[in-house]
């Protein structure tokens, strides 16, 4: 946080000429106030989720505007009921990150640097694949997984969740790998490294930032997945927390504090990422879509 | 040859997890594919019977209309609010950068979390929204339980979920417009709204097209918001093509009918995908 604050200051100050700066300063504080007000309205539901998770009886009927007497009963129930599901989600999300980067990074490099004739067609396929509705994939995977015994399995969900991540990761990694000067890879190859050695020892280190961005988004996509959890699991054995919340919505709406406590616990990755990895989030927000 | 090994895993993955499902959905939609199929392994070919079932179903018309209204309402709301916020945050003021990045939060939360939270906010009896409106003497609104209001409610929630994505892309586009254009415009007397109409909008056009088309494609396939808030109800008032496809396949176990629905969904998405590709190519060429 403090780092970004410094960054914004550093970029803001020089562009403002001193003559304009002074009379504008009161107006600027007005903008800050308006900005805070707009953000407060936009983030009110997030505040309300945290507030409701700390209400004693868990009943929104009696929820006060501020948790004056915070009660952690909701969290106790959430962790007792959903703790295992949170761990399942974590394992699946980490697995998806590893799988997605392992598949996407070499492909992105090839599409950025090698002169294949069919690159435009490959890119077209990747862009279109992002537009295929998840329910289409779920329909087909259900029957295939049923035959292969992969329903209710962590590898099955990792492979399915990677459908969100892999096309996105290829596009975002490719756009950054286009900027790698071919000479540094050639230098490694002259030193006797094979193509794969050169990839791991040269390309991967210089692409660190975009790999982090792609990895963060792969994690978030998988952590947030609901559709595959809903369709490709049928028993309690492997149950991501998103599905846990959905089932709470069917059974526990009289105990909102437990539902909201689970919601808060499921939001922690997003909140942590937003605070410590802002620069990567911003890169991902625009990178995958426009480039 | 080794060069092909770089793309081979991705190619295999895309064939298995995108190619196969698309083909499988096409064949399934021409078969009688039900729970029985999983026991007997038999899925007799039925031609276009599943499509006839879908098109003559009393739910198809409403689901199609709901999909159109849900998509249109969501896109208009997300875009207008997103553009307003992006333009606002384009100004430089203290804390602007931090406030703008906090604005992304709703986009990063799992959608089912947002659905659950909004479901508590929109609760008719105890929800904070109705208690707030009650403070002004207004009667409680049955946000999620009345067939005439529920679709509006799910649209409102989807707008909230989509605003950050619109802000992020449009803000990026606004940053690309050179400051000199505004300075030149100001000399000609184009400030405020005038500058917005004559400088901002025309220069933002490529980004706007991409945002709108992507928004449509993403909205067409939304499932978690609707399932989390209303489950398609009350009285089918929030059924969309995506929800119908899910329910036919995974609630009724009529996979043939479900895949017919999802193929119709693909067809609609494809139209917008083609628009996207044309727009994107033009945006890149410029």
């Amino acid at each position: 946080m403090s780092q970004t604050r410094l960054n914004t200051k550093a970029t803001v100050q020089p562009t403002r000429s001193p003559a304009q700066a002074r009379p504008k300063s009161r107006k600027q504080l007005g903008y800050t106030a308006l900005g805070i007000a707009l953000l407060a309205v936009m983030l009110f539901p997030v505040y309300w989720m945290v507030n409701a998770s700390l209400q004693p009886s868990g009943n929104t009927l009696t929820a006060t505007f501020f948790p004056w007497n915070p009660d952690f009963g909701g969290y106790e129930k959430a962790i007792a009921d959903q703790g295992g599901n949170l761990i399942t989600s974590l394992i699946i999300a980490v697995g998806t990150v590893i799988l997605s980067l392992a598949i996407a990074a070499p492909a992105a490099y090839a599409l950025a640097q090698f002169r294949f004739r069919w690159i435009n067609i490959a890119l077209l396929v990747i862009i279109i694949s992002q537009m295929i509705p998840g329910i289409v994939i779920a329909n087909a995977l259900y029957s295939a997984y049923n035959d292969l015994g992969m329903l209710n399995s962590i590898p099955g969900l990792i492979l399915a969740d990677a459908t969100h991540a892999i096309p996105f990761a290829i596009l975002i990694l490719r756009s950054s790998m286009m900027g790698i000067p071919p000479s540094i890879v050639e230098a490694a190859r002259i030193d006797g490294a094979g193509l794969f050695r050169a990839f791991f020892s040269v390309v991967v280190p210089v692409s660190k930032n975009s790999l982090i961005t792609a990895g963060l988004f792969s994690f978030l996509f998988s952590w947030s997945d609901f559709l595959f959890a809903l369709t490709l699991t049928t028993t309690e054995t492997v149950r991501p927390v998103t599905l846990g919340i959905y089932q709470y919505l069917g059974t526990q709406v009289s105990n909102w504090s437990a539902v909201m406590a689970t919601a808060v616990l499921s939001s922690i990755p997003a909140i942590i990422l937003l605070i410590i990895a802002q620069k990567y989030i911003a890169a991902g927000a625009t990178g995958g879509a426009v480039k | 040859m080794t060069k092909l090994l770089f793309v081979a895993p991705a190619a295999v993955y895309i064939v298995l997890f995108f190619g196969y499902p698309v083909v499988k959905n096409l064949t399934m939609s021409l078969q009688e594919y039900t729970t029985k199929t999983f026991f007997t392994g038999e899925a007799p070919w039925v031609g276009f019977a599943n499509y006839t079932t879908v098109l003559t179903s009393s739910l198809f018309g409403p689901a199609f209309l709901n999909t159109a209204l849900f998509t249109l309402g969501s896109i208009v709301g997300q875009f207008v609010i997103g553009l307003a916020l992006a333009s606002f945050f384009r100004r430089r003021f203290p804390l602007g950068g931090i406030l703008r990045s906090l604005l992304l939060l709703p986009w990063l939360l799992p959608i089912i979390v947002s659905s659950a939270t909004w479901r508590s906010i929109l609760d008719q009896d105890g929800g904070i929204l109705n208690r707030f409106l009650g403070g002004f003497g207004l009667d409680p609104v049955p946000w999620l339980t009345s067939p005439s209001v529920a679709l509006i409610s799910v649209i409102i929630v989807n707008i909230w979920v989509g605003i950050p994505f619109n802000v992020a892309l449009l803000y990026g586009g606004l940053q690309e417009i050179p400051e000199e254009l505004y300075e030149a415009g100001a000399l000609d007397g184009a400030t405020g709204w005038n500058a917005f109409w004559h400088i901002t909008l025309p220069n933002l056009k490529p980004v706007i097209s991409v945002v709108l088309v992507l928004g449509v494609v993403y909205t067409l396939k939304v499932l978690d918001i609707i399932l989390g808030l209303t489950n398609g109800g009350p009285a089918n008032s929030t059924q969309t093509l995506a929800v119908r496809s899910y329910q036919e396949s995974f609630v009724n176990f009529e996979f043939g009918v479900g895949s017919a629905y999802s193929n119709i969904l693909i067809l609609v998405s494809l139209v917008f995908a083609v628009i996207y590709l044309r727009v994107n190519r033009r945006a890149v060429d410029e």
Side-chain angles (χ1 to χ4, degrees):
Chain A
M1 280 290 259
S2 61
Q3 205 187 343
T4 31
R5 197 170 297 156
L6 286 175
N7 281 345
T8 41
K9 272 211 182 118
T11 52
V12 167
Q13 238 86 9
T15 55
R16 207 165 51 196
S17 66
Q20 281 178 314
R22 205 156 297 145
K24 265 193 176 173
S25 65
R26 178 174 283 180
K27 206 174 172 187
Q28 284 194 322
L29 285 179
Y31 287 138
T32 303
L34 184 56
I36 291 172
L38 290 170
L39 194 72
V41 173
M42 267 300 284
L43 294 192
F44 177 78
V46 182
Y47 167 74
W48 197 249
M49 167 178 81
V50 177
N51 178 39
S53 75
L54 292 165
Q55 294 292 331
S57 71
N59 192 334
T60 41
L61 271 174
T62 56
T64 51
F65 196 79
F66 188 82
W68 298 109
N69 304 303
D71 182 297
F72 293 91
Y75 285 88
E76 281 169 27
K77 183 163 172 50
I79 289 170
D81 290 355
Q82 308 271 5
N85 298 343
L86 283 161
I87 291 170
T88 302
S89 285
L90 190 65
I91 295 169
I92 293 172
V94 171
T96 307
V97 171
I98 295 169
L99 176 75
S100 302
L101 292 185
I103 290 182
Y109 176 66
L111 294 176
Q113 298 273 341
F114 299 165
R115 289 170 197 278
F116 295 129
R117 248 174 298 130
W118 34 264
I119 279 184
N120 284 331
I121 295 170
L123 288 173
L124 188 72
V125 169
I126 293 164
I127 289 172
I128 289 182
S129 71
Q130 277 190 308
M131 302 182 169
I132 294 171
I135 187 68
V136 170
I137 297 166
N139 261 338
L141 288 187
Y142 182 85
S143 78
Y145 277 17
N146 188 49
D147 295 342
L148 298 166
M150 279 169 73
L151 291 174
N152 303 306
S153 78
I154 286 179
L157 282 176
I158 289 174
L159 281 163
D161 284 353
T163 57
H164 298 303
I166 285 177
F168 177 85
I170 292 178
L171 293 177
I172 201 166
L173 289 170
R174 175 179 176 267
S175 76
S176 86
M177 287 175 175
M178 303 263 277
I180 297 174
S183 56
I184 62 171
V185 178
E186 279 157 22
R189 302 211 54 198
I190 288 166
D191 290 345
L195 208 47
F196 283 99
R197 271 276 308 279
F199 175 73
F200 282 109
S201 55
V202 178
V203 176
V204 168
V206 302
S207 308
K208 199 185 83 196
N209 280 356
S210 58
L211 284 167
I212 293 175
T213 305
L216 287 178
F217 275 86
S218 302
F219 184 95
L220 277 183
F221 290 153
S222 174
W223 179 268
S224 310
D225 166 69
F226 169 71
L227 179 64
F228 295 128
L230 179 67
T231 52
L232 302 178
T233 69
T234 52
T235 62
E236 300 265 345
T237 48
V238 172
R239 176 147 296 171
V241 71
T242 46
L243 193 58
I245 292 176
Y246 183 61
Q247 288 187 319
Y248 257 2
L249 285 176
T251 55
Q252 296 283 341
V253 280
S254 55
N255 189 355
W256 274 108
S257 65
V259 182
M260 289 297 112
T262 313
V264 171
L265 294 173
S266 317
S267 305
I268 288 174
I271 293 169
I272 292 177
L273 293 183
L274 192 65
I275 292 171
I276 64 172
Q278 276 186 48
K279 137 175 125 166
Y280 302 106
I281 298 289
T286 48
V290 188
K291 298 280 161 62
Chain B
M1 254 341 250
T2 31
K3 287 187 172 180
L4 283 177
L5 287 177
F6 277 77
V7 285
V12 170
Y13 182 83
I14 286 175
V15 167
L16 288 181
F17 285 85
F18 291 103
Y20 166 75
V22 169
V23 174
K24 179 79 178 167
N25 261 264
L26 274 175
T27 55
M28 263 171 139
S29 72
L30 304 172
Q31 289 173 295
E32 189 184 319
Y33 208 110
T34 61
T35 332
K36 232 170 41 189
T37 309
F38 294 110
F39 293 110
T40 61
E42 282 168 24
W45 296 95
V46 292
F48 289 93
N50 291 323
Y51 289 93
T52 317
T53 309
V54 167
L55 294 172
T56 55
S57 151
S58 61
L59 284 176
F60 179 76
F64 198 87
L65 183 65
N66 288 340
T67 307
L69 291 174
F70 179 73
T71 306
L72 186 72
S74 299
I75 297 299
V76 170
Q78 289 170 4
F79 178 76
V80 170
I81 299 173
L83 183 57
L85 286 172
S87 310
F88 174 75
F89 280 101
R90 191 172 186 275
R91 301 169 195 279
R92 300 219 156 95
F93 53 84
L95 296 180
I98 289 169
L99 294 175
R100 185 170 46 81
S101 45
L102 286 175
L103 200 63
L104 290 177
L105 188 58
W107 181 52
L108 301 174
L109 295 180
I111 288 180
I112 197 74
V113 164
S114 305
S115 305
T117 305
W118 275 95
R119 194 153 141 186
S120 101
I121 290 172
L122 296 174
D123 189 78
Q124 184 177 358
D125 301 319
I128 186 69
L129 184 57
N130 275 349
R131 282 201 274 152
F132 174 77
L133 295 176
F136 295 95
L138 296 167
D139 288 334
V141 178
W143 294 106
L144 299 171
T145 46
S146 154
S148 51
V149 189
L151 188 64
I152 296 171
S153 304
V154 294
I155 291 173
I156 291 173
V157 176
N158 195 43
I159 289 174
W160 182 79
V161 168
I163 286 173
F165 175 76
N166 280 259
V167 173
L169 259 66
L170 293 168
Y171 178 82
L174 289 173
Q175 294 301 98
E176 307 265 300
I177 302 176
E179 200 56 43
E180 295 85 61
L181 284 180
Y182 290 100
E183 284 160 15
L187 292 178
D188 297 335
T191 52
W193 277 108
N194 244 326
F196 180 78
W197 282 114
H198 296 291
I199 301 171
T200 309
L201 276 187
N203 284 288
L204 203 56
K205 221 168 127 191
V207 180
I208 291 177
S209 330
V210 170
V211 170
L212 290 180
V213 180
L214 277 184
V216 170
V217 173
Y218 292 157
T219 310
L220 282 173
K221 56 182 181 184
V222 163
L223 252 177
D224 11 19
I225 291 174
I226 296 177
L227 290 185
L229 285 168
T230 62
N231 237 326
N236 296 318
S237 60
T238 54
Q239 291 277 355
T240 61
L241 293 176
V243 175
R244 287 293 331 131
S245 176
Y246 162 73
Q247 292 194 333
E248 289 292 357
S249 291
F250 293 99
V251 179
N252 304 339
F253 291 104
E254 290 280 354
F255 281 87
V257 181
S259 51
Y261 266 110
S262 59
N263 286 333
I264 296 172
L265 193 60
I266 290 189
L267 205 66
V268 180
S269 304
L270 208 62
V271 172
F272 289 96
V274 170
I275 299 177
Y276 171 82
L277 292 169
R278 297 199 61 160
V279 163
N280 215 4
R281 177 168 303 168
R282 210 176 305 143
V284 171
D285 288 347
E286 279 165 10

